[in-house]
Amino acid sequence: MSTLHVIDHPLIVHKLSIMRNKKTGSKDFRELLGEIAMLMGYELTRDLPLEDIVIETPITKMTAKTVSGKKLAIVPILRAGLGMVEGLQSLVPVAKVGHIGLYRDPETHKPVEYYCKLPHDIEDRIVILVDPMLATGGSAVDALTMLKARGCKNIRFMCLVAAPEGVAKVQEAHPDVDIFTAALDERLNEHAYIVPGLGDAGDRIFGTL
Ligand code: PRP
Ligand code: URA
């Protein structure tokens, strides 16, 4: 069974509370999402392997540690996942970025695939799949299946707000994928929106309400 990591650092909790407030506009919402993605990225990359290299300081030769050759890829689920890319890139500027396009059918709440473009060597990379909302879990499960079909073996999923239903669905379908979230909310409502949640993340990021 994969692990659910709730990254509830006070700064993250504070910023998320501002995002949840319906009075917060798109500009602040976007900025806060980017900041939280960066703060969460710090935790999410905590176990990256290090390797030794020999360097010379101005004083002497030494064996120093660097992040090992295993490269990263950041893969946002469109649209809302885009809001988390820059924050992660500021931590790992050399990470490649892939895109997976999925939207939820408004009637069935099931994800519909419309785009997939990934780095050519995605199977050799540690993949961070990002989407602010883990609601029913349908989108995350499908995106993870798409990544695995293209050879990805080391994947972690990062979201902002998760519903228990979505966590259970991802853990059942992809028990090898750890989930990182800033908050585990109460439940889904009859429209499969997270309660209390923050509304429609894509609409709030892009001002399409
Ligand atoms: C939202 C969100 C997730 C999905 C979560 O996207 O960004 O991708 O819903 O719901 P699920 O866990 O029930 O699948 P949406 O489908 O609204 O598309 P958008 O980002 O393009 O607005
Ligand atoms: N997608 C969102 O953007 N918000 C929710 O609460 C559920 C799905």
Side-chain angles (χ1 to χ4, degrees), residues 1-3 144 148 168-178:
M1 176 65 69
S2 69
T3 306
L144 290 166
K148 288 183 180 174
K169 188 162 176 158
V170 171
Q171 287 185 325
E172 194 192 340
H174 297 288
D176 56 313
V177 176
D178 275 9

Side-chain angles (χ1 to χ4, degrees), residues 1-165:
M1 176 65 69
S2 69
T3 306
L4 173 69
H5 307 260
V6 181
I7 314 292
D8 53 0
H9 186 286
L11 289 175
I12 294 178
V13 172
H14 175 83
K15 290 172 193 291
L16 176 57
S17 297
I18 301 172
M19 293 180 73
R20 288 185 190 274
N21 189 332
K22 68 178 183 185
K23 292 183 183 155
T24 300
S26 285
K27 178 176 179 288
D28 289 341
F29 191 92
R30 270 196 310 276
E31 284 175 7
L32 290 161
L33 180 58
E35 289 167 18
I36 293 178
M38 189 180 73
L39 292 168
M40 289 183 73
Y42 184 76
E43 276 303 316
L44 196 118
T45 51
R46 180 174 283 285
D47 65 340
L48 285 188
L50 292 171
E51 65 188 17
D52 290 342
I53 55 162
V54 177
I55 59 165
E56 267 184 69
T57 76
I59 310 298
T60 184
K61 249 188 186 179
M62 73 170 284
T63 303
K65 303 273 183 203
T66 59
V67 173
S68 85
K70 193 98 178 127
K71 300 282 192 287
L72 282 171
I74 304 162
V75 179
I77 302 179
L78 305 178
R79 293 175 298 167
L82 288 173
M84 302 178 96
V85 173
E86 254 186 58
L88 287 173
Q89 272 181 315
S90 63
L91 286 182
V92 193
V94 296
K96 295 247 169 94
V97 180
H99 296 87
I100 291 180
L102 293 171
Y103 71 89
R104 285 202 319 181
D105 182 286
E107 302 295 323
T108 64
H109 307 137
K110 298 259 185 299
V112 181
E113 178 187 337
Y114 62 90
Y115 190 71
C116 184
K117 181 84 179 170
L118 300 170
H120 68 91
D121 57 352
I122 188 83
E123 69 272 15
D124 300 326
R125 290 176 178 267
I126 297 171
V127 179
I128 306 176
L129 178 68
V130 296
D131 189 330
M133 309 308 281
L134 178 60
T136 66
S139 303
V141 165
D142 281 12
L144 290 166
T145 302
M146 290 163 73
L147 289 169
K148 288 183 180 174
R150 287 156 180 85
C152 300
K153 290 170 281 297
N154 188 341
I155 316 172
R156 46 203 76 181
F157 177 67
M158 177 168 124
C159 60
L160 184 66
V161 180
E165 295 89 333

Side-chain angles (χ1 to χ4, degrees), residues 80 104 133-136 188 191-195 197-203:
R104 285 202 319 181
M133 309 308 281
L134 178 60
T136 66
L188 297 176
H191 305 294
Y193 274 82
I194 300 174
V195 180
L198 47 72
D200 188 304
D203 284 344

